[in-house]
Amino acid sequence: MTIRRWVERNSLPVSAWEEAERVDKVLRAVDTRLDGKQAAAWSRKRHRRILNVVMKHAIRRRVLRTNPLPKGKESTTVAKTSNAVDKRSLMNADQAAALLDWVRRRPRGGRRLHAFFATLYYCGLRPEEAVAMRVEDVTIPGPDARDQWCELLIHTATPEVGKQWTDSGEIHEERDLKGRAEGETRTAPGHPALTRILRQHIEDEQLEPGDLLFQGETGGILAGSVIRRAWRSARKAVLPPHVFESPTGKRVYDNRHTRLTKWLNDGIPPAQVAEWAGNSVPVLLATYARCVDGQLPDLKKRLEAAGDLPELPDAG
């Protein structure tokens, strides 16, 4: 029996979409995980958006006359979401330093992974951007140069999507940068501390300009499973149990969140941070607004300097 015939035999007729009870059952199913628990808000919202696209396609093909899915508030109340970063996920300087140092001392591939995590932390890169970088994408000043800041050119991302979802059968898929036009690039500055790390990394690994900057043990793309396992091991070894169980630095991506927040808290203009991060200013502010702090005393001084209302002469 072919897959098509099996689907035909086990699928309901299109007329089933005219029954409100069946529509409700479908919506409950897309909002529920396989273990029976409710899916995350973003997943629910995405699933309903995809289902709406299918319905619109069916209408264009004249399979359905109208969209049977609920509209207006009824369709959105279950999926309120927020892009804001949880402030608890951010690492302080001592925690970040301890985690990076533990990774560096890791017996197997520690120095290679240390350079990778340091790049995420100091430049706020997305992991899929860092694994796609080539040696030639990094401009490193000479050891005797007065300005020891390096510069990273980011132009490609290679996220893990699974072999079954790529045309090539590879785990990673090469894409343009997230939220950018096709072929667009951006640059990000690297702290002198990162310059020293990358200079030593390139020398130790004997890398050539066209080589991947961060490689796996066999010379290919650094695997996400290796990255995540190393980061989790570092957190477990370094952080106290109550902090390990908390959101602090729980995801590799939290290195990026920590850096972007630090740039904003250090007074870097949001437009500049957005450019370095590859975000729009509205998205940046919506994502990190809850994490920006430490500027209230200065803001109070500015408001006081502006003065109060002028005192009017006594009418009596």
Side-chain angles (χ1 to χ4, degrees):
M1 182 184 297
T2 64
I3 295 178
R4 179 177 178 180
R5 289 181 60 190
W6 183 92
V7 171
E8 289 174 346
R9 290 184 57 181
N10 290 274
S11 298
L12 293 172
V14 176
S15 59
W17 285 108
E18 298 176 2
E19 303 175 29
E21 290 185 1
R22 289 191 183 275
V23 173
D24 291 341
K25 187 176 181 180
V26 171
L27 294 177
R28 285 195 298 271
V30 299
D31 289 347
T32 306
R33 302 189 316 192
L34 293 178
D35 61 5
K37 296 181 180 179
Q38 189 178 58
W42 272 111
S43 295
R44 304 198 306 271
K45 190 173 183 178
R46 183 176 64 252
H47 294 162
R48 290 187 176 221
R49 187 184 299 123
I50 293 171
L51 198 54
N52 263 299
V53 170
V54 173
M55 295 298 107
K56 290 177 181 178
H57 176 73
I59 293 170
R60 285 198 299 269
R61 297 296 298 269
R62 298 184 179 180
V63 176
L64 290 174
R65 288 178 295 177
T66 59
N67 189 338
L69 301 180
K71 300 175 180 62
K73 291 184 178 180
E74 184 181 358
S75 66
T76 58
T77 52
V78 297
K80 290 184 178 179
T81 57
S82 172
N83 282 329
V85 168
D86 185 347
K87 192 174 181 178
R88 298 174 299 168
S89 68
L90 306 179
M91 298 171 285
N92 61 42
D94 290 337
Q95 291 168 338
L99 289 166
L100 289 177
D101 185 64
W102 188 93
V103 171
R104 183 177 63 84
R105 298 173 185 274
R106 189 171 182 260
R108 186 173 178 179
R111 291 187 177 274
R112 185 184 308 119
L113 286 166
H114 172 255
F116 172 80
F117 288 124
T119 300
L120 300 188
Y121 177 78
Y122 281 111
C123 293
L125 266 62
R126 299 179 177 93
E128 63 267 25
E129 295 170 343
V131 296
M133 290 192 66
R134 303 277 173 178
V135 176
E136 61 194 6
D137 298 329
V138 185
T139 301
I140 298 180
D144 299 327
R146 175 177 293 182
D147 184 353
Q148 283 296 306
W149 285 77
C150 62
E151 184 177 76
L152 277 59
L153 175 66
I154 305 104
H155 55 79
T156 307
T158 52
E160 283 188 332
V161 295
K163 293 181 179 180
Q164 68 272 33
W165 304 112
T166 60
D167 295 334
S168 63
E170 299 292 333
I171 295 176
H172 296 80
E173 181 179 64
E174 187 170 307
R175 298 178 181 175
D176 289 305
L177 298 182
K178 183 178 179 179
R180 297 258 167 158
E182 183 177 351
E184 192 173 350
T185 67
R186 76 174 196 273
T187 59
H191 192 278
L194 180 63
T195 299
R196 294 191 294 270
I197 293 170
L198 292 181
R199 184 187 290 124
Q200 190 64 49
H201 168 70
I202 293 171
E203 181 181 331
D204 290 346
E205 298 291 315
Q206 299 181 349
L207 299 176
E208 299 295 329
D211 293 340
L212 285 169
L213 183 61
F214 307 113
Q215 303 178 0
E217 291 187 347
T218 59
I221 295 177
L222 189 57
S225 58
V226 173
I227 295 168
R228 292 187 293 271
R229 186 163 56 247
W231 188 250
R232 187 180 189 280
S233 297
R235 290 185 75 251
K236 192 169 185 179
V238 168
L239 303 177
H242 71 283
V243 180
F244 174 75
E245 296 296 335
S246 76
T248 303
K250 194 166 188 176
R251 303 185 307 157
V252 174
Y253 209 96
D254 290 328
N255 282 281
R256 171 178 166 87
H257 290 326
T258 299
R259 173 51 48 184
L260 269 57
T261 300
K262 189 174 188 324
W263 277 337
L264 291 170
N265 283 329
D266 288 344
I268 306 298
Q272 182 62 76
V273 175
E275 174 62 26
W276 290 343
N279 284 340
S280 67
V281 174
V283 168
L284 179 80
L285 296 179
T287 304
Y288 297 100
R290 297 178 185 176
C291 302
V292 178
D293 57 18
Q295 300 179 16
L296 185 56
D298 180 58
L299 294 176
K300 285 180 178 179
K301 290 179 181 178
R302 293 186 189 182
L303 293 173
E304 287 180 5
D308 203 344
L309 290 174
E311 292 188 12
L312 298 179
D314 192 345

